Amino acid sequence: MDYISSRDTIVSVKASQAIIQGIAPDGGLFVPEEFPQMDLEAVLETAKKGYTALAAYIAAPYLDEFSEEEVQDIAANAYDAGFEHADKAPVMRLQDGQYVLELWHGPTLAFKDMALQMLPHLMSASRRKIGEQARILILVATSGDTGKAALEGFAGVEGISIAVFYPHNGVSRAQELQMVTHVGDNVFVGAVRGNFDDTQTAIKRVFGNAGYAEELAGRGFRLSSANSINWGRLLPQIVYYFWAYACLVRDRAVSTGGPVNFVVPTGNFGNILAGYYAKRMGLPVNKLICASNANNVLTDFFTSGGYDATRPFYKTISPSMDILISSNLERLLFEIAHRDGARVRDWMATLRSKGAYQVAQEYMEEASALFAAGCCDDAQTKETIRNVFESRGYLMDPHTAVAKRVLDDYMDSAKDFAPSVLVSTASPFKFSADVLSALGDVQADADEFELAARLGGISGMKVPDAILKLQDMPIRFKEVLDAGAIEARMLAWAQMQSKG
Ligand SMILES: *Cc1c(COP(=O)(O)O)cnc(C)c1O
């Protein structure tokens, strides 16, 4: 399988190169040259052997330069340990026709673990495959959850250093504590003045700076990315769409081949894009419902074909979705443009220069047939958390609650009653203060751990160890940087790492 750039189909590399490079040389994103077609019966059979087996099965055709055994090792290293649920990603019945795919049973309590437990092993296998000698420096911009999941995933992985940047005052207290207490020598964590888009743009600029790459190379480093634009992040995410479907068939919620909707709380468009890829591989997906918070740029896009990031940025109680520039949308644009890289290049150039672009109606037809979209604000999110808890006894984090709200609205208006899977992206204990406040239990002066204990008491859920253990960990990282200072800081850090 070769990978092409979303901006120029002439660029073509193997998976190992796509994963190490992170982004194509022309600034585009790597996409597989075709979508392997899966036999649904075979998928269902494989899923009976468990999540790890299914992950290897789905990933194999995309990684054909690796042996079957190598792919199985990568999947086993990713999923055999670190998840506290035997199903890894269990599917729960919420109510008639609505199911919850819980993607937060990994080490950092958010769905990012599903990909970031696998990416480091993909990267290290790719590094060996291409004979890379340089140490790899991973730069990550995080809206909250990716940072810790990446730190956790790359912990102790040979030949790799990792630096994580998050928006100052832009993540939850639990998210921040998870990052700034992280131990390990190959790790840097910094807060950036500005919001997530500022942070992400700064990191993208570093990747686009060829002179800087040379300077780093002189110090024995090669830059790479663990952000959701990396193909090695997307690939593992395709797996759980097939997995969820297999669970529904197993539980007789759908018959083999029957249509299923997925509703996905969306930020950078990576998660839902993986659902789209699953559909292209033959999964019977009816609708993909894109759920946004008050930063509803994607809702408008799917309604009108206009993508307009020039709008106020809101800090919400679902911070991992506080994004106005959804990088992975570029990969969907590439498909709806019938893989015309020049068209995508135009849209992206207009986005850069004007902050907005318009996709003509002829291109939107296919997207509109498959995608639905909706949004809700913080008040509606909180109301949903409370309603679901009171009526079903099920506790949702704010991101999942946004999806629940959007799903209910969608079912009301579209009268589409196909079984629907809510893709649940975080444990409520990552957002204890807001979840408690949604339940009407406001604790003004309590610290994160008192809040978690209180939430545990009300819900009857056990406070996750991943939260409890933060209590005794010293804060290691306190730097707050300007976005423009990242390059210099990283050069200095790389210097120290290479001496390390
Ligand atoms: C990252 C994240 C999202 C958004 O996922 P994308 O792939 O960026 O669309 C939603 N919810 C949570 C909890 C997240 O961590």
Side-chain angles (χ1 to χ4, degrees):
M1 174 77 67
D2 286 341
Y3 292 80
I4 54 182
S5 164
S6 56
R7 297 187 193 177
D8 180 0
T9 40
I10 307 293
V11 178
S12 172
V13 299
K14 301 302 283 180
S16 52
Q17 282 290 356
I19 289 165
I20 295 290
Q21 288 178 23
I23 190 160
D26 61 0
L29 308 185
F30 285 117
V31 287
E33 64 177 344
E34 63 185 11
F35 295 106
Q37 296 306 300
M38 309 308 282
D39 175 67
L40 195 55
E41 295 286 354
V43 167
L44 298 178
E45 271 313 301
T46 310
K48 289 180 185 158
K49 298 183 207 145
Y51 194 92
T52 304
L54 185 66
Y57 185 74
I58 300 287
Y62 286 109
L63 301 172
D64 55 358
E65 62 186 313
F66 298 93
S67 70
E68 208 172 300
E69 206 183 335
E70 280 175 308
V71 176
Q72 272 160 6
D73 283 348
I74 289 169
N77 283 330
Y79 300 116
D80 279 356
F83 287 77
E84 42 81 10
H85 198 288
D87 268 359
K88 316 300 176 191
V91 174
M92 309 290 186
R93 183 179 170 282
L94 184 64
Q95 65 197 67
D96 277 350
Q98 292 191 13
Y99 301 83
V100 185
L101 169 63
E102 293 182 349
L103 297 178
W104 39 264
H105 292 278
T108 75
L109 312 177
F111 97 98
K112 302 294 194 292
D113 288 326
M114 302 307 296
L116 280 160
Q117 285 294 300
M118 189 187 246
L119 176 69
H121 305 291
L122 280 169
M123 234 177 216
S124 143
S126 299
R127 187 169 173 265
R128 282 195 302 275
K129 185 72 62 186
I130 63 177
E132 178 65 60
Q133 300 294 317
R135 194 174 172 82
I136 290 180
L137 173 57
I138 309 270
L139 293 188
V140 179
T142 180
S143 59
D145 291 325
T146 297
K148 177 63 175 181
L151 292 167
E152 200 60 57
F154 283 100
V157 175
E158 238 337 275
I160 299 181
S161 297
I162 171 164
V164 169
F165 297 92
Y166 65 93
H168 189 44
N169 298 327
V171 301
S172 84
R173 183 68 186 143
Q175 289 175 320
E176 183 169 37
L177 280 175
Q178 281 185 316
M179 292 187 276
V180 297
T181 58
H182 197 85
V183 293
D185 295 330
N186 61 337
V187 174
F188 177 93
V189 178
V192 177
R193 289 188 193 89
N195 61 36
F196 173 67
D197 286 320
D198 300 323
T199 310
Q200 178 165 252
T201 305
I203 297 294
K204 277 192 186 164
R205 207 177 309 120
V206 178
F207 281 110
N209 182 344
Y212 187 68
E214 264 172 48
E215 265 188 275
L216 272 177
R219 289 165 167 79
F221 279 84
R222 167 166 192 174
L223 273 184
S224 193
S225 142
N227 276 113
S228 67
I229 51 172
N230 191 309
W231 171 247
R233 276 281 297 278
L234 268 175
L235 174 55
Q237 296 184 354
I238 300 172
V239 176
Y240 50 73
Y241 286 91
F242 283 97
W243 173 257
Y245 193 90
C247 291
L248 291 183
V249 171
R250 180 195 64 196
D251 300 345
R252 299 182 193 287
V254 65
S255 50
T256 305
V260 170
N261 297 328
F262 288 92
V263 52
V264 188
T266 297
N268 228 353
F269 208 75
N271 195 353
I272 194 168
L273 181 77
Y276 171 77
Y277 284 177
K279 160 130 187 145
R280 294 291 301 267
M281 294 167 73
L283 189 69
V285 176
N286 180 45
K287 283 274 180 189
L288 290 166
I289 304 162
C290 176
S292 302
N293 61 26
N295 297 295
N296 56 3
V297 57
L298 287 166
T299 315
D300 292 347
F301 171 72
F302 282 110
T303 317
S304 71
Y307 193 97
D308 188 353
T310 61
R311 59 175 71 204
F313 176 92
Y314 298 107
K315 272 173 69 168
T316 74
I317 59 169
S318 44
S320 301
M321 299 154 68
D322 289 348
I323 294 177
L324 291 179
I325 298 182
S326 298
S327 304
N328 265 304
L329 186 65
E330 179 168 343
R331 287 184 162 110
L332 181 68
L333 293 175
F334 183 62
E335 302 303 331
I336 66 177
H338 310 294
R339 301 202 144 200
D340 177 355
R343 172 95 311 150
V344 175
R345 208 156 55 226
D346 275 357
W347 287 326
M348 292 300 109
T350 317
L351 178 63
R352 222 175 12 256
S353 60
K354 302 207 172 69
Y357 58 89
Q358 178 71 42
V359 172
Q361 197 47 45
E362 53 175 305
Y363 294 114
M364 287 305 291
E365 266 160 34
E366 194 189 318
S368 309
L370 177 58
F371 287 86
C375 58
C376 73
D377 63 18
D378 279 355
Q380 293 168 318
T381 307
K382 286 189 173 181
E383 188 182 67
T384 305
I385 292 173
R386 183 166 71 234
N387 284 347
V388 172
F389 184 67
E390 284 174 358
S391 62
R392 308 282 164 191
Y394 186 88
L395 193 64
M396 285 177 171
D397 96 286
H399 304 77
T400 310
V402 168
K404 166 67 173 154
R405 179 75 178 213
V406 168
L407 175 61
D408 287 343
D409 290 349
Y410 167 78
M411 288 177 72
D412 272 351
S413 64
K415 308 286 178 226
D416 170 0
F417 301 108
S420 293
V421 176
L422 267 159
V423 178
S424 174
T425 48
S427 156
F429 287 95
K430 279 195 107 160
F431 305 93
S432 297
D434 288 320
V435 173
L436 276 173
S437 130
L439 300 177
D441 189 280
V442 178
Q443 302 289 317
D445 301 319
D447 73 15
E448 194 58 34
F449 305 100
E450 290 163 337
L451 293 174
R454 200 160 170 91
L455 193 57
I458 293 175
S459 66
M461 290 167 81
K462 187 178 163 303
V463 180
D465 290 339
I467 297 285
L468 291 176
K469 73 177 186 203
L470 294 176
Q471 201 156 3
D472 309 316
M473 296 180 69
I475 292 179
R476 282 183 73 201
F477 300 100
K478 294 182 179 156
E479 270 181 66
V480 184
L481 298 85
D482 286 321
I486 292 176
E487 292 192 353
R489 186 68 186 87
M490 284 298 97
L491 267 187
W493 187 62
Q495 190 89 39
M496 290 187 39
Q497 285 281 294
S498 55
K499 285 187 192 130

